[in-house]
């Protein structure tokens, strides 16, 4: 089953396609402190995420995966947004991103280029694609010891 590609604003489409074609932080870390993986069976998307932590700071992040442009560009944009940030900031970005896509919240300025995925909110099937990397991030953050609160809203 092929879901139709969302019709997105041209500028946003360009950002999404750029991250899909030239994903940032794609690959594997030699050493990682936290990792998680997830699949979106509706679309066949797969994401494997690794984090290298220095205390509560995300020093490095890498992902591998396959699937549609929305899932893979969301992963690439996410890694750019959380790299060199505190894990608590990453968890907050996750909540803001989910609020934008699930509740239709106005994107917070901190989301930056992630706002490009806002148009996906209109396409319920594709929201799962965009959220997959963030759900995986939530798992990775919780898995490292449970001292990070991730909203499951
Ligand atoms: Zn997908």
């Amino acid at each position: 089953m092929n879901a139709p590609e969302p019709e997105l604003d041209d500028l946003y489409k360009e950002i999404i396609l750029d991250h899909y074609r030239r994903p940032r932080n794609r690959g594997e870390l030699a050493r990682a402190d936290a990792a998680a993986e997830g699949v979106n069976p509706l679309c066949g998307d797969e994401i494997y995420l690794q984090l290298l932590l220095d205390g509560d700071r995300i020093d490095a992040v890498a992902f591998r995966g396959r699937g549609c442009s929305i899932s893979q560009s969301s992963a690439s944009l996410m890694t750019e947004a959380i790299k060199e940030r505190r894990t608590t900031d990453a968890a907050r970005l996750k909540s803001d991103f989910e609020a934008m896509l699930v509740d239709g919240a106005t994107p917070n300025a901190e989301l930056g280029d992630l706002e490009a995925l806002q148009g996906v909110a209109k396409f319920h099937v594709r929201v799962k694609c965009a959220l997959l990397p963030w759900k995986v991030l939530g798992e990775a953050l919780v898995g490292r010891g449970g001292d990070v609160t991730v909203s499951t809203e």
Side-chain angles (χ1 to χ4, degrees), residues 40 43 45 68 71 126 129:
N40 169 22
C43 184
D45 305 318
C68 70
S71 65
R126 310 312 292 273
C129 304

Side-chain angles (χ1 to χ4, degrees), residues 25-99:
N25 307 300
R26 189 183 171 93
E28 205 151 344
L29 299 177
R31 191 164 67 78
D33 299 304
E37 59 191 319
V39 299
N40 169 22
L42 273 179
C43 184
D45 305 318
E46 299 176 10
I47 296 288
Y48 174 70
L49 184 76
Q50 292 176 302
L51 304 174
L52 181 66
L53 303 169
D54 178 8
D56 68 348
R57 183 173 176 275
I58 298 171
D59 255 2
V61 51
F63 82 97
R64 281 189 283 122
R66 58 181 178 179
C68 70
S69 60
I70 300 296
S71 65
Q72 302 304 304
S73 64
S74 180
S76 174
L77 282 157
M78 178 187 80
T79 59
E80 285 288 275
I82 66 170
K83 196 166 61 173
E84 293 167 7
R85 300 287 295 272
R86 289 157 49 107
T87 52
T88 46
D89 293 335
R92 204 181 57 241
L93 275 175
K94 177 181 183 288
S95 299
D96 290 347
F97 186 77
E98 288 171 342

Side-chain angles (χ1 to χ4, degrees), residues 8 11-12 14 20 32-33 42-43 53 57 60 68 75 80 110 112 118 121 123 136 144 147 152:
L8 301 168
L11 168 67
Y12 287 168
E14 208 170 290
Y20 178 57
D33 299 304
L42 273 179
C43 184
L53 303 169
R57 183 173 176 275
C68 70
E80 285 288 275
E110 269 200 62
Q118 186 187 12
F123 303 87
V136 173
R144 67 183 270 266
D147 56 341
T152 53

